Amino acid sequence: MRRRELSRRSGFCLGFSHSQTAGILPEWSPSAGHAGWSAQKTEGWKMENRSNNRPIPGISLSSVPSGTGCLECLSGAEPGWWVHLRRCAQCGHIGCCDSSPSQHASAHARTLGHPVITSYEPEEDWFYETNTKKFFRGPRLPDPQSRPLEQPVPAPAEKVPTDWRERIHR
């Protein structure tokens, strides 16, 4: 996918693996310290140099995921199912993506002012800054990195309607 196309679309339901984003998303440089962004240019993107060891706003390296599914959907919020999961990089809240009926991840970001979301799907490796609407590669957050592999998509299976494809946001 091209950089321009990435920047135009919402980041909450796009699924990108490390190999798919190589050369598109700016790289995290752990050698530069706690908040080590390299000031490299990657296909026209230039990230702010964060090699001064200051924390990255919106990312906590100590927050653990709130669970294996969307917190609100599992707590009884209707309709109670999701397509993909997103993780708040600041507090670890797990919410459903923008294609899901309830869009709890973006509601959490807006309500609490937590600007950075990352994927909570297996093999996806991206962060999204809701204020700037830009994708980037970020640091490794505390495990687990994704929902369990055996968990179906969409989920939870007993809540997903047979016509779920017609109910998602596109």
Side-chain angles (χ1 to χ4, degrees):
M1 187 171 279
R2 284 202 203 102
R3 178 184 53 83
R4 276 196 248 40
E5 191 174 350
L6 281 174
S7 65
R8 278 186 296 200
R9 295 178 63 189
S10 167
F12 300 122
C13 207
L14 295 175
F16 301 109
S17 69
H18 181 78
S19 61
Q20 290 170 310
T21 59
I24 297 174
L25 303 182
E27 296 285 341
W28 167 257
S29 171
S31 63
H34 171 74
W37 290 108
S38 61
Q40 68 181 1
K41 208 170 191 179
T42 304
E43 280 204 18
W45 285 16
K46 185 167 183 173
M47 291 299 288
E48 176 183 342
N49 185 349
R50 295 185 184 252
S51 60
N52 55 14
N53 290 332
R54 284 187 291 159
I56 301 169
I59 297 179
S60 168
L61 298 179
S62 62
S63 65
V64 296
S66 61
T68 60
C70 175
L71 189 62
E72 290 83 2
C73 288
L74 291 173
S75 296
E78 289 297 324
W81 62 275
W82 60 83
V83 179
H84 296 290
L85 296 171
R86 303 297 175 236
R87 176 181 180 176
C88 175
Q90 187 164 334
C91 72
H93 173 271
I94 302 299
C96 50
C97 71
D98 279 356
S99 290
S100 301
S102 298
Q103 304 175 338
H104 287 126
S106 58
H108 171 85
R110 276 191 314 275
T111 304
L112 287 149
H114 292 177
V116 181
I117 291 177
T118 187
S119 178
Y120 199 57
E121 292 295 319
E123 304 299 319
E124 291 186 7
D125 183 25
W126 54 263
F127 283 70
Y128 182 76
E129 216 288 354
T130 60
N131 296 329
T132 63
K133 298 190 180 344
K134 291 197 177 185
F135 291 91
F136 61 95
R137 283 230 183 88
R140 182 174 174 86
L141 299 177
D143 286 333
Q145 298 300 306
S146 70
R147 64 170 172 78
L149 289 172
E150 64 275 2
Q151 184 173 299
V153 173
E158 67 276 4
K159 289 275 202 163
V160 179
T162 55
D163 64 342
W164 69 270
R165 285 180 183 87
E166 296 165 19
R167 296 178 184 224
I168 62 174
H169 298 270
R170 297 185 192 266

